[in-house]
PDB file of all heavy atoms in Angstrom:
ATOM      1  N   LYS A 163      -5.383   4.275   8.485  1.00 96.00           N
ATOM      2  CA  LYS A 163      -4.043   4.309   9.101  1.00 96.00           C
ATOM      3  C   LYS A 163      -3.699   5.744   9.515  1.00 96.00           C
ATOM      4  O   LYS A 163      -3.218   5.992  10.630  1.00 96.00           O
ATOM      5  CB  LYS A 163      -3.009   3.761   8.108  1.00 96.00           C
ATOM      6  CG  LYS A 163      -1.579   3.876   8.565  1.00 96.00           C
ATOM      7  CD  LYS A 163      -1.298   2.973   9.741  1.00 96.00           C
ATOM      8  CE  LYS A 163       0.114   3.160  10.258  1.00 96.00           C
ATOM      9  NZ  LYS A 163       0.333   2.402  11.501  1.00 96.00           N
ATOM     10  N   GLU A 164      -3.956   6.678   8.587  1.00 95.00           N
ATOM     11  CA  GLU A 164      -3.629   8.074   8.887  1.00 95.00           C
ATOM     12  C   GLU A 164      -4.448   8.604  10.067  1.00 95.00           C
ATOM     13  O   GLU A 164      -3.993   9.465  10.816  1.00 95.00           O
ATOM     14  CB  GLU A 164      -3.845   8.952   7.640  1.00 95.00           C
ATOM     15  CG  GLU A 164      -2.694   8.807   6.655  1.00 95.00           C
ATOM     16  CD  GLU A 164      -3.078   9.115   5.216  1.00 95.00           C
ATOM     17  OE1 GLU A 164      -4.124   9.769   5.002  1.00 95.00           O
ATOM     18  OE2 GLU A 164      -2.335   8.669   4.312  1.00 95.00           O
ATOM     19  N   ALA A 165      -5.652   8.046  10.232  1.00 94.00           N
ATOM     20  CA  ALA A 165      -6.502   8.464  11.364  1.00 94.00           C
ATOM     21  C   ALA A 165      -6.008   7.862  12.678  1.00 94.00           C
ATOM     22  O   ALA A 165      -6.549   8.164  13.743  1.00 94.00           O
ATOM     23  CB  ALA A 165      -7.938   8.040  11.105  1.00 94.00           C
ATOM     24  N   GLY A 166      -5.021   6.971  12.593  1.00 93.00           N
ATOM     25  CA  GLY A 166      -4.441   6.398  13.807  1.00 93.00           C
ATOM     26  C   GLY A 166      -5.106   5.105  14.264  1.00 93.00           C
ATOM     27  O   GLY A 166      -4.921   4.673  15.404  1.00 93.00           O
ATOM     28  N   LEU A 167      -5.882   4.472  13.364  1.00 96.00           N
ATOM     29  CA  LEU A 167      -6.549   3.220  13.740  1.00 96.00           C
ATOM     30  C   LEU A 167      -5.509   2.153  14.111  1.00 96.00           C
ATOM     31  O   LEU A 167      -4.514   1.973  13.416  1.00 96.00           O
ATOM     32  CB  LEU A 167      -7.389   2.703  12.556  1.00 96.00           C
ATOM     33  CG  LEU A 167      -8.106   1.378  12.815  1.00 96.00           C
ATOM     34  CD1 LEU A 167      -9.245   1.563  13.815  1.00 96.00           C
ATOM     35  CD2 LEU A 167      -8.651   0.787  11.510  1.00 96.00           C
ATOM     36  N   ASN A 168      -5.757   1.429  15.199  1.00 96.00           N
ATOM     37  CA  ASN A 168      -4.818   0.387  15.634  1.00 96.00           C
ATOM     38  C   ASN A 168      -5.090  -0.974  14.989  1.00 96.00           C
ATOM     39  O   ASN A 168      -4.149  -1.668  14.596  1.00 96.00           O
ATOM     40  CB  ASN A 168      -4.859   0.228  17.156  1.00 96.00           C
ATOM     41  CG  ASN A 168      -4.506   1.502  17.883  1.00 96.00           C
ATOM     42  OD1 ASN A 168      -5.322   2.080  18.575  1.00 96.00           O
ATOM     43  ND2 ASN A 168      -3.288   1.998  17.694  1.00 96.00           N
ATOM     44  N   TYR A 169      -6.367  -1.404  14.944  1.00 97.00           N
ATOM     45  CA  TYR A 169      -6.701  -2.747  14.427  1.00 97.00           C
ATOM     46  C   TYR A 169      -7.876  -2.681  13.461  1.00 97.00           C
ATOM     47  O   TYR A 169      -8.826  -1.920  13.685  1.00 97.00           O
ATOM     48  CB  TYR A 169      -7.135  -3.687  15.577  1.00 97.00           C
ATOM     49  CG  TYR A 169      -6.003  -4.083  16.484  1.00 97.00           C
ATOM     50  CD1 TYR A 169      -5.579  -3.235  17.491  1.00 97.00           C
ATOM     51  CD2 TYR A 169      -5.350  -5.306  16.323  1.00 97.00           C
ATOM     52  CE1 TYR A 169      -4.526  -3.582  18.327  1.00 97.00           C
ATOM     53  CE2 TYR A 169      -4.302  -5.658  17.152  1.00 97.00           C
ATOM     54  CZ  TYR A 169      -3.896  -4.797  18.150  1.00 97.00           C
ATOM     55  OH  TYR A 169      -2.856  -5.156  18.961  1.00 97.00           O
ATOM     56  N   TYR A 170      -7.814  -3.525  12.431  1.00 98.00           N
ATOM     57  CA  TYR A 170      -8.991  -3.710  11.559  1.00 98.00           C
ATOM     58  C   TYR A 170      -9.391  -5.174  11.627  1.00 98.00           C
ATOM     59  O   TYR A 170      -8.564  -6.061  11.428  1.00 98.00           O
ATOM     60  CB  TYR A 170      -8.669  -3.321  10.105  1.00 98.00           C
ATOM     61  CG  TYR A 170      -9.952  -3.177   9.296  1.00 98.00           C
ATOM     62  CD1 TYR A 170     -10.674  -1.981   9.338  1.00 98.00           C
ATOM     63  CD2 TYR A 170     -10.461  -4.225   8.546  1.00 98.00           C
ATOM     64  CE1 TYR A 170     -11.872  -1.842   8.643  1.00 98.00           C
ATOM     65  CE2 TYR A 170     -11.654  -4.091   7.852  1.00 98.00           C
ATOM     66  CZ  TYR A 170     -12.358  -2.896   7.897  1.00 98.00           C
ATOM     67  OH  TYR A 170     -13.546  -2.758   7.224  1.00 98.00           O
ATOM     68  N   ASN A 171     -10.669  -5.419  11.952  1.00 98.00           N
ATOM     69  CA  ASN A 171     -11.167  -6.805  12.004  1.00 98.00           C
ATOM     70  C   ASN A 171     -11.840  -7.164  10.688  1.00 98.00           C
ATOM     71  O   ASN A 171     -12.752  -6.472  10.219  1.00 98.00           O
ATOM     72  CB  ASN A 171     -12.173  -6.952  13.156  1.00 98.00           C
ATOM     73  CG  ASN A 171     -12.965  -8.263  13.053  1.00 98.00           C
ATOM     74  OD1 ASN A 171     -14.175  -8.240  12.870  1.00 98.00           O
ATOM     75  ND2 ASN A 171     -12.292  -9.402  13.138  1.00 98.00           N
ATOM     76  N   HIS A 172     -11.370  -8.237  10.087  1.00 98.00           N
ATOM     77  CA  HIS A 172     -12.001  -8.760   8.872  1.00 98.00           C
ATOM     78  C   HIS A 172     -11.760 -10.265   8.880  1.00 98.00           C
ATOM     79  O   HIS A 172     -10.632 -10.713   8.699  1.00 98.00           O
ATOM     80  CB  HIS A 172     -11.385  -8.093   7.648  1.00 98.00           C
ATOM     81  CG  HIS A 172     -12.228  -8.210   6.425  1.00 98.00           C
ATOM     82  ND1 HIS A 172     -13.469  -7.592   6.302  1.00 98.00           N
ATOM     83  CD2 HIS A 172     -12.043  -8.886   5.271  1.00 98.00           C
ATOM     84  CE1 HIS A 172     -13.991  -7.872   5.120  1.00 98.00           C
ATOM     85  NE2 HIS A 172     -13.144  -8.666   4.477  1.00 98.00           N
ATOM     86  N   ASN A 173     -12.806 -11.018   9.102  1.00 98.00           N
ATOM     87  CA  ASN A 173     -12.635 -12.461   9.274  1.00 98.00           C
ATOM     88  C   ASN A 173     -12.678 -13.209   7.948  1.00 98.00           C
ATOM     89  O   ASN A 173     -13.404 -12.826   7.033  1.00 98.00           O
ATOM     90  CB  ASN A 173     -13.748 -13.002  10.188  1.00 98.00           C
ATOM     91  CG  ASN A 173     -13.586 -12.525  11.624  1.00 98.00           C
ATOM     92  OD1 ASN A 173     -12.502 -12.115  12.016  1.00 98.00           O
ATOM     93  ND2 ASN A 173     -14.649 -12.592  12.393  1.00 98.00           N
ATOM     94  N   LEU A 174     -11.920 -14.314   7.899  1.00 98.00           N
ATOM     95  CA  LEU A 174     -12.064 -15.227   6.748  1.00 98.00           C
ATOM     96  C   LEU A 174     -13.292 -16.102   6.937  1.00 98.00           C
ATOM     97  O   LEU A 174     -13.783 -16.698   6.002  1.00 98.00           O
ATOM     98  CB  LEU A 174     -10.809 -16.098   6.607  1.00 98.00           C
ATOM     99  CG  LEU A 174      -9.556 -15.365   6.138  1.00 98.00           C
ATOM    100  CD1 LEU A 174      -8.371 -16.329   6.050  1.00 98.00           C
ATOM    101  CD2 LEU A 174      -9.783 -14.694   4.786  1.00 98.00           C
ATOM    102  N   ASP A 175     -13.730 -16.198   8.183  1.00 98.00           N
ATOM    103  CA  ASP A 175     -14.957 -16.914   8.574  1.00 98.00           C
ATOM    104  C   ASP A 175     -14.850 -18.441   8.552  1.00 98.00           C
ATOM    105  O   ASP A 175     -15.216 -19.103   9.500  1.00 98.00           O
ATOM    106  CB  ASP A 175     -16.188 -16.468   7.765  1.00 98.00           C
ATOM    107  CG  ASP A 175     -16.818 -15.209   8.335  1.00 98.00           C
ATOM    108  OD1 ASP A 175     -16.379 -14.755   9.411  1.00 98.00           O
ATOM    109  OD2 ASP A 175     -17.741 -14.669   7.704  1.00 98.00           O
ATOM    110  N   THR A 176     -14.398 -19.030   7.419  1.00 98.00           N
ATOM    111  CA  THR A 176     -14.320 -20.497   7.353  1.00 98.00           C
ATOM    112  C   THR A 176     -13.298 -20.892   6.288  1.00 98.00           C
ATOM    113  O   THR A 176     -12.521 -20.054   5.848  1.00 98.00           O
ATOM    114  CB  THR A 176     -15.736 -21.080   7.097  1.00 98.00           C
ATOM    115  OG1 THR A 176     -15.695 -22.492   7.245  1.00 98.00           O
ATOM    116  CG2 THR A 176     -16.274 -20.711   5.721  1.00 98.00           C
ATOM    117  N   SER A 177     -13.309 -22.151   5.878  1.00 98.00           N
ATOM    118  CA  SER A 177     -12.349 -22.579   4.849  1.00 98.00           C
ATOM    119  C   SER A 177     -12.792 -22.063   3.486  1.00 98.00           C
ATOM    120  O   SER A 177     -13.982 -21.801   3.277  1.00 98.00           O
ATOM    121  CB  SER A 177     -12.312 -24.109   4.792  1.00 98.00           C
ATOM    122  OG  SER A 177     -13.552 -24.581   4.257  1.00 98.00           O
ATOM    123  N   PRO A 178     -11.862 -21.975   2.542  1.00 98.00           N
ATOM    124  CA  PRO A 178     -12.282 -21.559   1.196  1.00 98.00           C
ATOM    125  C   PRO A 178     -13.284 -22.547   0.592  1.00 98.00           C
ATOM    126  O   PRO A 178     -14.158 -22.150  -0.170  1.00 98.00           O
ATOM    127  CB  PRO A 178     -10.976 -21.560   0.377  1.00 98.00           C
ATOM    128  CG  PRO A 178      -9.864 -21.808   1.319  1.00 98.00           C
ATOM    129  CD  PRO A 178     -10.402 -22.162   2.666  1.00 98.00           C
ATOM    130  N   GLU A 179     -13.157 -23.822   0.950  1.00 98.00           N
ATOM    131  CA  GLU A 179     -14.023 -24.855   0.358  1.00 98.00           C
ATOM    132  C   GLU A 179     -15.454 -24.769   0.891  1.00 98.00           C
ATOM    133  O   GLU A 179     -16.414 -25.047   0.173  1.00 98.00           O
ATOM    134  CB  GLU A 179     -13.458 -26.253   0.647  1.00 98.00           C
ATOM    135  CG  GLU A 179     -12.112 -26.548  -0.015  1.00 98.00           C
ATOM    136  CD  GLU A 179     -10.925 -25.857   0.675  1.00 98.00           C
ATOM    137  OE1 GLU A 179     -11.034 -25.493   1.864  1.00 98.00           O
ATOM    138  OE2 GLU A 179      -9.876 -25.676   0.006  1.00 98.00           O
ATOM    139  N   PHE A 180     -15.615 -24.405   2.155  1.00 98.00           N
ATOM    140  CA  PHE A 180     -16.958 -24.379   2.761  1.00 98.00           C
ATOM    141  C   PHE A 180     -17.616 -23.010   2.596  1.00 98.00           C
ATOM    142  O   PHE A 180     -18.831 -22.856   2.739  1.00 98.00           O
ATOM    143  CB  PHE A 180     -16.840 -24.730   4.261  1.00 98.00           C
ATOM    144  CG  PHE A 180     -18.156 -24.959   4.955  1.00 98.00           C
ATOM    145  CD1 PHE A 180     -18.984 -26.020   4.599  1.00 98.00           C
ATOM    146  CD2 PHE A 180     -18.577 -24.112   5.970  1.00 98.00           C
ATOM    147  CE1 PHE A 180     -20.208 -26.228   5.239  1.00 98.00           C
ATOM    148  CE2 PHE A 180     -19.795 -24.308   6.615  1.00 98.00           C
ATOM    149  CZ  PHE A 180     -20.615 -25.374   6.248  1.00 98.00           C
ATOM    150  N   TYR A 181     -16.807 -22.022   2.278  1.00 98.00           N
ATOM    151  CA  TYR A 181     -17.242 -20.620   2.272  1.00 98.00           C
ATOM    152  C   TYR A 181     -18.537 -20.392   1.470  1.00 98.00           C
ATOM    153  O   TYR A 181     -19.462 -19.716   1.933  1.00 98.00           O
ATOM    154  CB  TYR A 181     -16.090 -19.771   1.714  1.00 98.00           C
ATOM    155  CG  TYR A 181     -16.367 -18.302   1.699  1.00 98.00           C
ATOM    156  CD1 TYR A 181     -16.184 -17.526   2.842  1.00 98.00           C
ATOM    157  CD2 TYR A 181     -16.841 -17.670   0.547  1.00 98.00           C
ATOM    158  CE1 TYR A 181     -16.450 -16.171   2.828  1.00 98.00           C
ATOM    159  CE2 TYR A 181     -17.112 -16.315   0.525  1.00 98.00           C
ATOM    160  CZ  TYR A 181     -16.918 -15.565   1.673  1.00 98.00           C
ATOM    161  OH  TYR A 181     -17.189 -14.229   1.651  1.00 98.00           O
ATOM    162  N   GLY A 182     -18.618 -20.995   0.285  1.00 97.00           N
ATOM    163  CA  GLY A 182     -19.778 -20.786  -0.594  1.00 97.00           C
ATOM    164  C   GLY A 182     -21.086 -21.301  -0.004  1.00 97.00           C
ATOM    165  O   GLY A 182     -22.172 -20.901  -0.446  1.00 97.00           O
TER     166      GLY A 182
END
Side-chain angles (χ1 to χ4, degrees):
K163 174 68 184 173
E164 282 155 18
L167 178 70
N168 301 115
Y169 289 81
Y170 194 83
N171 167 244
H172 199 66
N173 291 340
L174 290 179
D175 277 354
T176 189
S177 69
E179 294 76 22
F180 189 64
Y181 182 83

